[in-house]
């Protein structure tokens, strides 16, 4: 680590303009003082820790304020309380923070050490030598092996793979789990693993200076006078992992801190909760109050000095050279010190502790743990918990978030017969559940064990040899662009372009039509155990206009057939009229499937004449080699052949929703949370999902679709929708302008919610959204969208996702949450107040930038309705109580000032002041903030309405704060004047003094402590043993400490520090002391009790009602799950393809298959269906072009 | 943190959170709800408990006999008028005045004699801290070098002041003597006990003379000077060595500063000698005051108070009245709440929660 510092000091002063390095030439490279490969993410070392950490801590306002107070206290004229009253709490706070920081830094040190000490093979003096990472230098040649981490940013020299390719996983860099291909220059690749050649290699690299652009690299390599260009494809970045590559050699270009990974690890934006913002404002208000109080004290002081003090000089002479104005000035600061506890020092620390605790609860929650991939929920940001209880808008991604991105072959219609549903004896449809018996595919050795189907009749039909059923599955096995992979005999894996296709091919596979392998010219399938190799004559590929794909194959018997699958509307137009009757039946089935939210495809085939085919193929060849108009010619050809087809049937693929999505959405809707779906998917798919997860419902009054292509069109459609929903609404939105934030500097504009009768839905596509998000239309969009129950935006770019979130944030002043799983959701996750990542699916990018993460969408309801609600409740209760206890405590000083000549004399003993916040009242309020719950989680689910107080900021707001202040004023008046009246002119039961200052201090502080303990009891709903322990423990500690500090022993040891010797013994033995304590506490507590009771009786809140119900009934009755009613819909998503161009060309490309045969491409050996990884193919198709050029 | 095992489906669960009541937030808990069944009885019970306590306190306080004389002498007709007018710190001749008074009730038990001061800010911050507890505890070093807190009463004439500080300097130094005038005209002095008036802890722990058990206090205080306002040095406060120097009880009582600007401090105890005769029988008395203590300049008042005591200390009707009031208010509130409860109760039991 030291090396970084030492070597960077020389070079980094002047900005590096260009990097120049020579392979295997350490002395040459050293002359540039490039950073070595050691990294240092830690902030401190043993010596710098204390000064640096302290400096950092004092840059925080609260700490600086208390440091300032401490300095004030050291000025003798001002010091009203000894220095330790501030120093001890401040030290405690600093120590806690420092320990936490130190622990974090030690972890970073360990991590750095571990990384720096990793070993790698480095070429030194013609030999490979194991070296620690930190000793690797720029210009070294290192050898990496499969599954190794890339040591530094390397220029790839050579690899074990053909064409000098290497495969890297970049998950740590960009979160994408799929492999990327990098390729070395041919000239360096020729060296292979020839150590001699490599060690004599003297290539010179000239490239850009270190930067953080992951996707760009510019430079050139000069070997023997020849210069070759370098780009990003030839560079392996640190943070990647080498996969499926036996070995490779690389030249270190950037090391350690210069690597793109380290250059990218900047600070992320810091999110703050609305309670934080409010707290800042309140603290500012408190400063104002403090200043006012001190000013009043100053005036009082000068009046007193003028009238009383000037004559009292007989016994209390003035300090020399201090006249009334000066002494009043001093008094102002003295009172700043005395009343400083209005701004509670331990507040921030306690808030952080409570948030941390509540975050741990999220991590620990078993009900948010997903056993299938062993993923617990995770609170990645520990400072946003209470915000989870205030969410008003949720922005959700679709794929991977609402859906599993798994397609399952669910139903099919073959020759007019519907398969895939189960009926009981009475003919009633049976709900298919986890427990329903599955069809046994064990007879088929090549079957996919993960495939689940419940209807036995289909298998029987196939086994019986039904020709339509066989043709149906043969079509599914032949007509696709899936790539098979068979690592071991019988272990088939499919790489499908779209998960739908994978599902269909897998279905065929399980029903005995196993797609086994393909070459550019043939497709081999196992047809009911018999190997059949068909000749592939043509692939009529899918695209967005055609919405269908076909293959033309010649069976071993020589029969030529065209197999076609595609969207129903498209296929129906191209069917032979003889299919009319079958079409009607199939249409009925299709409607049913659509009603269930399934994605449908229609299958058809056509037998072809040998003679016709010859001619067609000839023309096809000409068309595909034509230089101009190639596409049109091909389309014409396709149209010509794809007609008069015979209908086979239809498939229904389920875009599987994650478990519990509709229920979750329903719950969240009940909690008055609005859910907007922002998806990159097509409108049809999005709409379909909207229906299947219950966001769009058939009974909605209207579902508006905004799909105009001009700004005017969008405006009109939005306005029409708005007028239809709310004809009486004003044309102009009502905007409330306000100022908020610190010093009211922030201007806010809030668009008011408008009431609408009935439910509406809004679907808006990407084009229209682009227009609608323009400045002049955004308010229109917002108004219309907010009137609707459901908003779905489709074909949305990541940037637009963020813009939509920003729009709502800006004009609704509501708390937003964004949830997503992919890299395209990162922008909105970062933009929203709270970002939630779905972990364990597509990659880590979303999770890495999220604040909370878990594996399933349905956990969101627990996160919000249980954890969020509790966190908010706890935080608000905590804050209210905390402010109350400190105000009450401090204001007593204020009242006392009127009786002590405004001399800044404190009411309490100095040690009580020191320990009040840090010891005596610290734990009960923490217990309140960590354990309290109004009703348990099951009731929270039962009544999602309980969530609404958080959205309305009901538990902690400026109003609540003012109420809290008033309550404190009352309490402090009682706390001062009851003891005052009781003590005044009173003596002990043996006639001795008890109205002395020390006894009064003891009485006042005991009253206070008993009162705040009683108040915390009153505020606690949920009394665990720990709460009891903390409350009673605090009181016990108080008495123990008090008696100890006032004991003879302590007095003898520290005579001047503990002057209150005997006060506790002498006064707490008096009955009227205890009667006063009792009276004071009751007088403060009873009004609160009565007030709460009255409000519970007259205006019970939802919480009161549910609490009452919970008290009466214990646990809520388990909710009955009603099977969802069957719907029939004519609205269906027409096709089950991805919306990108198909891979037909690739499938028939020889290059592709040659590479593929190494089977190095496909690394994901689990479910092939999950993957949708076009990158594999893309990189490789570009590759031949490059080598040519 | 988490255990590693396979669950029923064969999934490996390494990170599965532990199933403890604490981590799952299922800690057993008592959840009291404010219901009519708990709140109303609480109010009634508090009312029922407070009222008798209050009455008891009030009666006790009322039974305490108290007699007070203001002898400041502001009024020209007052016997002490002259003394109060001609006050000077330097006067060597003490001014005395005698105030006759008549006790209408006999005082049966021990009678406590207090002096009271008003408008005297013994709780002023600068006053309160103007002392040196180490010095008062007999610390030799502090005796020679009083703490800075004592300024400007730390040193005088280049010699340390013992006891130092504004509190000690301003010690109350009037002498009060009480004479009973028999109906037959003879004046007898009533013996006043000057010990046993300070806290035990103060007398035996907090305050100690320098030089330990050295009987020769004069030697122990060698090199120090008396507080400026004092007429005698500390070691001449009393002839009794157990009540001299820093452990002089009058001094200790004074050093226990009062919480409020109007206060009383125990001066003497009139012990009951004879069970048959009241301590202070009804009749004429004379209070002989050696008027040393100036309060006129700051509008102060000086009083002399006789009081008997009870288990709850001196006369203070406040607690009794407060308890009776609070008890009654509680009772009344209970009734009001009961009424409200009757009127609105059905709302709370409304099963239709979602209607809200």
């Amino acid at each position: 680590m030291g090396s970084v510092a030492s070597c960077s000091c020389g070079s980094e002063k002047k900005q590096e303009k260009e990097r120049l390095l020579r392979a295997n030439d350490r002395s040459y490279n050293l002359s540039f003082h490039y950073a070595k490969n050691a990294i240092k993410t830690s902030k401190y070392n043993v010596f710098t820790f204390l000064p640096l950490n302290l400096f950092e801590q004092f840059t925080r306002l609260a700490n600086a304020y208390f440091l300032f107070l401490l300095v004030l206290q050291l000025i003798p004229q001002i010091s009203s309380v000894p220095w330790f009253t501030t120093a001890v709490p401040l030290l405690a706070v600093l120590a806690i923070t420092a320990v936490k920081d130190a622990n974090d830094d030690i972890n970073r040190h360990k991590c750095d050490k571990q990384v720096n000490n990793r070993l790698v093979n480095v070429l030194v003096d013609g030999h490979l030598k194991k070296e620690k990472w930190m000793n690797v230098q720029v210009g070294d040649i290192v050898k990496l092996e499969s599954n190794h981490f890339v040591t530094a940013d390397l220029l790839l020299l050579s690899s074990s793979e053909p064409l000098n390719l290497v495969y890297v996983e970049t998950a740590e860099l960009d979160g994408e789990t799929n492999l990327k291909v990098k390729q070395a220059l041919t000239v360096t690749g020729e060296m292979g693993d020839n150590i001699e050649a490599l060690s004599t290699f003297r290539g010179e690299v000239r490239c850009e200076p270190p930067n953080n652009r992951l996707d760009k690299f510019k430079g050139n390599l000069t070997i023997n006078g020849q210069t070759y260009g370098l780009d990003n494809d030839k560079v392996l970045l640190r943070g990647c992992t080498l996969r499926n590559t036996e070995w490779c050699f690389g030249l270190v270009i950037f090391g350690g801190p210069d690597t793109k990974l380290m250059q990218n690890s900047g600070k992320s934006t810091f999110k703050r909760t609305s309670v934080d913002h409010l707290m800042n404002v309140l603290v500012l208000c408190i400063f104002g109050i403090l200043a006012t109080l001190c000013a009043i004290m100053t005036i009082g002081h000068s009046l007193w000095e003028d009238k009383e003090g000037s004559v009292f000089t007989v016994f209390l002479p003035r300090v020399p050279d201090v006249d009334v104005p000066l002494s009043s000035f001093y008094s102002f600061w003295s009172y700043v010190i005395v009343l400083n506890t209005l701004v509670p020092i331990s507040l921030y620390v306690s808030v952080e502790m409570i948030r941390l605790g509540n975050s741990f609860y999220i991590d620990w929650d078993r009900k948010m743990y997903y056993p299938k991939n062993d993923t617990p929920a995770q609170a990645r940001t520990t400072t946003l918990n209470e915000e989870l209880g205030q969410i008003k808008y949720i922005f959700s991604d679709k794929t991977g978030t609402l859906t599993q991105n798994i397609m399952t072959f669910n139903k099919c219609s073959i020759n007019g017969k519907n398969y895939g549903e189960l009926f009981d004896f009475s003919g009633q449809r049976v709900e298919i559940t986890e427990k329903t018996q599955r069809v046994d595919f064990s007879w088929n050795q090549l079957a996919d064990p993960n495939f689940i189907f419940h209807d036995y009749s289909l298998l029987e039909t196939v086994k019986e040899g039904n020709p339509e059923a066989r043709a149906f599955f043969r079509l599914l096995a032949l007509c696709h662009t899936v790539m098979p992979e068979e690592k071991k005999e019988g272990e088939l894996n499919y790489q499908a372009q779209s998960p739908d296709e994978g599902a269909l091919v897998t279905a065929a596979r399980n029903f005995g039509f196993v797609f086994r392998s393909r070459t550019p010219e043939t497709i081999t399938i196992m047809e009911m155990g018999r190997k059949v190799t068909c000749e592939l004559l043509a692939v009529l590929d899918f695209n967005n206009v055609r919405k269908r794909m076909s293959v033309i194959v010649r069976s071993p018997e020589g029969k030529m057939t065209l197999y076609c699958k595609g969207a129903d509307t498209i296929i129906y137009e191209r069917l032979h009229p003889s299919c009319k009757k079958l079409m009607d039946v199939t249409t009925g089935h299709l409607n049913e499937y659509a009603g269930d939210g399934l994605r449908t495809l229609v299958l058809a085939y056509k037998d072809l004449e040998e003679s016709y085919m010859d001619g067609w193929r000839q023309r096809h060849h000409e068309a595909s080699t034509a230089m101009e108009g190639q596409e049109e010619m091909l389309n014409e050809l396709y149209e010509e052949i794809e007609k008069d087809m015979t209908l086979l049937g239809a498939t229904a693929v389920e875009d599987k929703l994650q478990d519990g999505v509709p229920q979750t959405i329903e719950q969240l809707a009940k909690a008055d949370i609005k859910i907007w779906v922002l998806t990159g998917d097509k409108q049809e798919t999005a709409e379909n999902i909207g229906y299947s997860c219950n966001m769009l419902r058939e009974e909605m009054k209207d579902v508006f679709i905004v799909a105009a292509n001009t700004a005017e069109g969008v405006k009109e459609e939005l306005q029409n929708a708005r007028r239809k929903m709310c004809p009486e609404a004003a044309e102009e939105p009502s905007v409330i302008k306000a100022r908020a934030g610190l010093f009211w500097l922030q201007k806010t504009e809030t668009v008011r919610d408008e009431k609408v009768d009935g439910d509406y839905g809004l679907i808006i596509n990407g084009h229209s959204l682009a227009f609608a998000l323009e400045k002049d239309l955004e308010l229109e969009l917002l108004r219309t969208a907010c009137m609707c129950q459901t908003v779905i935006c489709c074909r949305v770019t990541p940037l637009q996702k963020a813009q939509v979130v920003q729009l709502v944030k800006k004009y609704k002043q509501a708390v937003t949450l964004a949830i997503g799983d992919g890299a395209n959701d990162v922008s909105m996750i970062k933009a929203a107040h709270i970002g939630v990542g779905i972990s364990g699916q597509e990659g880590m990018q979303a999770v890495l930038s999220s604040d909370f993460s878990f594996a399933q969408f349905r956990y969101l309801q627990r996160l919000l309705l249980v954890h969020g609600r509790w966190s908010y409740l706890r935080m608000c209760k905590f804050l209210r109580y905390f402010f109350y206890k400190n105000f009450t405590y401090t204001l007593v000083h204020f009242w006392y000032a009127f009786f002590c000549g405004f001399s800044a004399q404190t009411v309490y003993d100095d040690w009580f002041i020191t320990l009040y916040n840090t010891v005596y009242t610290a734990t009960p309020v923490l217990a309140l903030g960590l354990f309290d719950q109004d009703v348990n989680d099951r009731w929270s689910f039962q009544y999602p309405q309980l969530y609404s107080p958080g959205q309305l900021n009901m538990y902690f707001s400026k109003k609540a704060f003012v109420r809290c202040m008033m309550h404190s004023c009352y309490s402090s008046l009682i706390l001062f004047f009851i003891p005052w009246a009781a003590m005044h002119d009173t003596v002990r039961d043996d006639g001795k003094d008890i109205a002395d200052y020390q006894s009064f201090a003891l009485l006042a502080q005991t009253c206070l402590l008993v009162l705040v303990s009683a108040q915390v009891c009153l505020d606690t709903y949920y009394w665990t043993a720990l709460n009891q322990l903390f409350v009673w423990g605090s009181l016990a500690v108080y008495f123990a400490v008090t008696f100890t500090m006032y004991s003879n022993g302590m007095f003898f040891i520290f005579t001047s520090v503990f002057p209150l010797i005997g006060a506790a013994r002498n006064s707490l033995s008096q009955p009227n002391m205890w009667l006063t304590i009792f009276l004071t506490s009751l007088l403060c507590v009873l009004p609160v009790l009565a007030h709460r009771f009255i409000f519970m009786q007259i205006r019970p809140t939802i919480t009161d009602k549910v609490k009452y119900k919970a008290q009466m009934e214990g646990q809520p009755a388990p909710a009955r799950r009603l099977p969802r009613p069957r719907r029939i819909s004519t609205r269906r998503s027409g096709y089950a393809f991805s919306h990108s161009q198909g891979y037909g060309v690739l499938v028939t490309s020889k290059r592709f298959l040659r590479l593929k045969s190494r089977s190095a491409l496909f690394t994901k050996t689990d479910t092939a269906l999950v993957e949708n990884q076009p990158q594999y193919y893309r990189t490789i198709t570009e590759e031949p072009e490059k080598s040519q050029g | 943190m988490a255990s590693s095992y396979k669950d029923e489906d064969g999934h490996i669960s390494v990170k599965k959170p532990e199933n403890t009541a604490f981590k799952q937030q299922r800690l057993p808990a008592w959840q009291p709800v404010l219901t009519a069944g708990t709140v109303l009885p609480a109010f009634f019970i508090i009312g029922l408990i407070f009222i008798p306590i209050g009455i008891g306190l009030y009666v006790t306080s009322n039974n305490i006999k108290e007699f007070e004389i203001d002898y400041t002498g502001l009024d020209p007709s007052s016997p002490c008028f002259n003394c109060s007018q001609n006050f000077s710190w330097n006067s060597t001749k003490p001014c005395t005045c005698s105030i006759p008074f008549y006790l209408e009730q006999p005082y049966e038990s021990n009678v406590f004699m207090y002096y009271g001061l008003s408008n005297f800010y013994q709780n002023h911050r600068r006053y309160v801290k103007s002392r040196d507890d180490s010095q008062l505890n007999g610390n030799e070093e502090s005796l020679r070098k009083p703490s800075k807190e004592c300024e400007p009463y730390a040193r005088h004439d280049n010699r340390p002041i013992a006891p130092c500080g504004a509190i000690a300097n301003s010690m109350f130094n009037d002498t009060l003597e009480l004479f009973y005038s028999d109906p037959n005209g003879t004046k007898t002095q009533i013996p006043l006990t000057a010990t046993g008036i300070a806290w035990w802890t103060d007398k035996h722990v907090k305050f100690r003379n320098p030089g330990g058990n050295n009987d020769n206090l004069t030697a122990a205080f060698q090199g120090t000077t008396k507080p400026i306002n004092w007429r005698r040095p500390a070691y001449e406060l009393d002839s009794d060595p157990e009540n001299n120097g820093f452990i002089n009880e009058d001094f200790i009582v004074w050093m226990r500063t009062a919480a409020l600007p109007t206060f009383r401090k125990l001066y003497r105890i009139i012990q009951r000698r004879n069970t048959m005769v009241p301590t202070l029988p009804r009749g004429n008395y004379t209070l002989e005051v050696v008027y040393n203590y100036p309060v006129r300049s700051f509008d102060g008042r000086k009083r002399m108070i006789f009081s008997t005591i009870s288990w709850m200390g001196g006369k203070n009707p406040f607690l009794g009245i407060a308890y009776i009031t609070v008890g009654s208010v509680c009772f009344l509130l209970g009734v009001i709440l009961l009424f409200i409860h009757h009127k609105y109760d059905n709302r709370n039991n409304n099963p239709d929660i979602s209607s809200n």
Side-chain angles (χ1 to χ4, degrees), chain A residues 79 317 364 366 374 874 896 899 903 982 986 989 991 993 996-997 1022-1023 1059 1066 1075 1082 1096 1098 1108, chain B residues 14-15 17 24-25 27 30 34 50 114 123 125-126 199 201 206 256-257 259 309 316 323 347 349 353:
Chain A
S79 170
W364 287 335
R366 277 163 81 93
D374 193 26
R874 287 167 184 171
Y896 188 55
F899 294 86
S903 60
T986 306
D989 58 2
D993 222 356
D996 62 305
Y997 169 72
Y1022 193 79
W1023 278 95
N1066 282 297
L1075 286 171
L1082 266 179
M1096 260 178 66
I1098 298 177
Y1108 186 78
Chain B
V14 182
K15 298 179 193 155
Q24 302 306 318
Q25 305 198 65
L27 284 177
W30 172 55
L34 294 184
F50 267 44
Y114 299 92
N123 59 0
R125 178 167 60 89
R126 280 193 290 122
W199 288 10
T201 45
K206 195 170 180 180
R256 184 151 284 282
T257 54
I309 53 163
N316 188 344
Y323 264 80
R347 291 223 192 160
N349 292 333
I353 288 179

Side-chain angles (χ1 to χ4, degrees), chain B residues 220-343:
Chain B
F221 279 93
Q222 188 72 46
T224 65
T225 183
K226 68 174 177 62
I228 298 157
N229 286 0
W230 286 22
R231 289 168 196 238
R232 283 168 300 189
Y235 48 85
E236 283 173 21
L237 283 175
D238 200 322
S239 52
D240 178 7
E242 285 303 308
N243 194 27
N244 202 8
F246 291 157
I247 57 168
N248 176 274
E249 293 202 23
D250 283 332
F251 174 65
I252 292 173
V253 165
W254 179 255
M255 292 305 283
R256 184 151 284 282
T257 54
L260 300 165
T262 299
F263 58 89
R264 57 171 74 169
K265 285 182 181 294
L266 187 54
Y267 183 64
R268 294 288 181 264
I269 302 171
I270 307 166
Q271 303 281 358
R272 184 168 192 183
R273 317 239 158 198
N274 191 328
T275 43
M276 301 304 290
V277 190
T279 324
L280 291 180
R282 187 147 60 122
N284 281 314
Y285 292 85
T286 316
L287 182 69
E288 298 262 335
V289 181
V290 182
Y291 200 105
N292 293 328
Y293 204 69
V295 292
R296 208 175 61 95
S297 61
F298 57 91
D299 265 348
R301 287 279 192 286
K302 297 197 284 190
R303 290 164 296 149
M304 191 280 306
I305 304 130
F306 293 131
S307 174
T308 60
I309 53 163
S310 70
W311 59 270
M312 56 159 285
K315 192 178 184 85
N316 188 344
F318 170 77
L319 266 184
I321 296 170
Y323 264 80
I324 294 171
T325 319
V326 172
S328 321
V329 168
C330 262
F331 207 85
L332 197 71
L333 256 176
V335 174
I336 294 171
L337 293 183
L338 188 68
F339 173 74
I340 290 173
H341 171 65
H342 254 281
K343 203 170 164 198

Side-chain angles (χ1 to χ4, degrees), chain A residues 47-309:
Chain A
F47 303 106
T48 60
F49 176 75
L50 213 59
L52 273 182
N53 186 264
L54 280 181
F55 175 74
E56 260 175 37
Q57 291 205 44
F58 282 123
T59 54
R60 285 178 212 157
L61 185 69
N63 291 345
Y65 168 68
F66 284 101
L67 186 69
F68 167 68
L69 280 178
L70 191 61
V71 172
L72 277 187
Q73 285 177 7
L74 295 177
I75 303 172
Q77 284 88 347
I78 290 171
S79 170
S80 44
V81 284
W83 57 274
F84 56 78
T85 53
T86 306
V88 171
L90 184 63
L91 278 179
V93 166
L94 291 179
I96 291 172
T97 319
V99 165
K100 191 179 136 258
D101 288 350
N103 186 42
D104 288 352
D105 210 51
I106 287 170
N107 285 339
R108 280 194 288 266
H109 269 294
K110 274 189 194 152
C111 197
D112 287 352
K113 207 170 167 187
Q114 191 232 327
V115 169
N116 284 333
N117 286 328
R118 279 188 196 150
L119 293 177
V120 65
N121 278 314
V122 181
L123 198 62
V124 184
D125 304 329
H127 301 284
L128 278 178
K129 210 176 109 191
K130 289 246 180 239
E131 275 271 24
K132 288 181 178 168
W133 275 30
M134 58 182 185
N135 297 330
V136 172
Q137 289 180 15
V138 171
D140 287 354
I141 291 179
V142 297
K143 180 188 179 186
L144 299 174
E145 281 161 30
S146 195
N147 299 329
H148 277 192
F149 293 106
V150 176
T151 317
D153 287 359
L154 305 176
L155 170 67
L156 182 62
L157 293 178
S158 64
S159 106
S160 58
E161 305 303 292
L163 298 171
N164 305 315
L165 293 177
V166 294
Y167 304 100
V168 287
E169 191 185 286
T170 57
E172 254 185 80
L173 273 180
D174 57 13
E176 292 170 28
T177 46
N178 53 344
L179 300 189
K180 298 224 171 88
V181 181
K182 303 273 175 176
Q183 191 187 26
L185 285 171
T186 327
V187 63
T188 56
E190 278 163 0
M191 293 188 287
D193 58 348
N194 183 341
I195 298 294
E196 207 177 311
L198 283 164
S199 52
T200 53
F201 178 65
R202 284 290 181 273
E204 266 188 47
V205 173
R206 184 182 290 273
C207 68
E208 58 185 14
N211 59 55
N212 60 5
R213 290 190 300 273
L214 287 175
D215 51 347
K216 286 239 166 57
F217 179 79
K218 248 178 24 211
N220 56 49
L221 172 70
T222 312
I223 310 168
N224 305 328
Q226 281 281 88
T227 304
Y228 305 86
L230 299 176
D231 60 14
N232 199 35
D233 267 358
K234 292 164 186 63
V235 178
L236 300 181
L237 297 182
R238 183 174 179 145
C240 301
T241 317
L242 200 66
R243 300 279 188 215
N244 301 324
T245 309
E246 232 168 272
W247 50 260
C248 75
F249 283 90
L251 172 67
V252 178
I253 303 176
F254 299 124
D258 290 345
T259 57
K260 305 219 173 198
L261 174 72
M262 298 306 289
Q263 299 269 327
N264 255 308
S265 53
K267 270 184 189 162
S268 54
T269 50
F270 193 59
K271 287 183 182 175
R272 289 197 155 281
T273 67
S274 50
V275 168
D276 267 331
H277 289 295
L278 180 60
M279 224 152 71
N280 282 342
V281 174
L282 293 183
V283 166
L284 207 71
C285 290
I286 294 174
F287 277 128
I289 294 168
L290 178 67
T292 316
L293 291 184
C294 291
I296 295 173
M297 294 291 95
T298 311
I299 294 167
H301 181 89
S302 55
L303 289 181
W304 187 89
E305 279 292 338
D306 197 46
K307 271 188 72 185
E308 312 270 340

Side-chain angles (χ1 to χ4, degrees), chain A residues 731-872:
Chain A
E731 279 300 299
E732 288 303 309
S734 62
V735 178
I736 306 165
K737 287 192 180 163
R739 280 172 169 274
L742 228 48
F743 300 110
W744 282 261
L745 282 178
Q746 229 174 307
K747 275 187 209 165
T748 62
E749 288 175 283
T750 315
V751 175
R752 220 181 298 195
D753 279 327
E754 285 158 296
K755 274 246 179 274
V756 176
D757 279 337
D759 293 351
Y760 293 90
L762 178 74
I763 297 170
I764 182 163
N765 73 14
H767 280 299
S768 308
L769 194 63
F771 291 114
L773 285 172
E774 294 286 319
K775 256 265 162 293
D776 49 337
L777 274 181
E778 57 178 20
L779 279 179
E780 195 64 53
L781 169 72
L782 188 75
R783 280 181 82 192
T784 315
C786 287
M787 284 178 183
C788 294
Q789 205 70 17
T790 302
V791 179
I792 296 177
C793 305
C794 26
R795 303 308 293 268
V796 184
T797 63
L799 181 68
Q800 285 178 330
K801 286 186 177 188
Q803 284 175 331
V804 172
V805 174
Q806 297 284 15
L807 178 68
V808 173
K809 256 173 92 171
K810 187 172 167 199
Y811 289 112
K812 281 292 176 187
Q813 312 300 331
V815 185
T816 57
L817 178 146
I819 178 167
D821 71 319
N824 58 344
D825 305 316
V826 170
S827 60
M828 81 172 172
I829 283 176
K830 282 189 171 162
H833 290 104
I834 290 190
V836 177
I838 300 281
S839 48
Q841 302 235 347
E842 252 183 39
M844 291 297 282
Q845 186 90 331
V847 172
L848 287 179
S849 48
S850 68
D851 305 308
F852 297 90
S853 72
F854 43 70
Q856 290 278 298
F857 181 79
R858 65 167 186 274
Y859 298 151
L860 188 61
Q861 61 171 328
R862 192 168 173 85
L863 185 71
L864 300 189
L865 299 185
V866 177
H867 288 284
R869 213 173 61 79
W870 283 347
S871 294
Y872 175 69

Side-chain angles (χ1 to χ4, degrees), chain A residues 1049-1082:
Chain A
M1050 292 302 269
F1051 180 75
F1052 285 139
I1053 302 167
F1054 309 101
T1055 309
S1056 51
V1057 185
F1058 299 107
L1060 269 80
I1061 154 104
R1065 271 173 283 172
N1066 282 297
S1067 52
L1068 289 180
S1069 58
Q1070 296 299 306
N1072 55 354
M1073 281 283 191
W1074 289 103
L1075 286 171
T1076 311
I1077 293 168
F1078 194 53
L1079 179 73
T1080 315
S1081 316
L1082 266 179

Side-chain angles (χ1 to χ4, degrees), chain B residues 91-102:
Chain B
S91 68
T92 43
K93 220 179 114 209
C95 177
T96 53
C97 50
S98 51
I99 302 144
F101 61 94
Y102 180 72

Side-chain angles (χ1 to χ4, degrees), chain A residues 635-653:
Chain A
N635 270 339
E636 236 168 77
L637 274 174
Y638 292 169
E639 282 291 336
E640 179 197 313
I641 202 164
E642 286 170 326
K643 64 181 181 197
D644 293 335
M645 296 182 290
T646 314
L647 182 61
L648 265 176
T651 58
V653 170

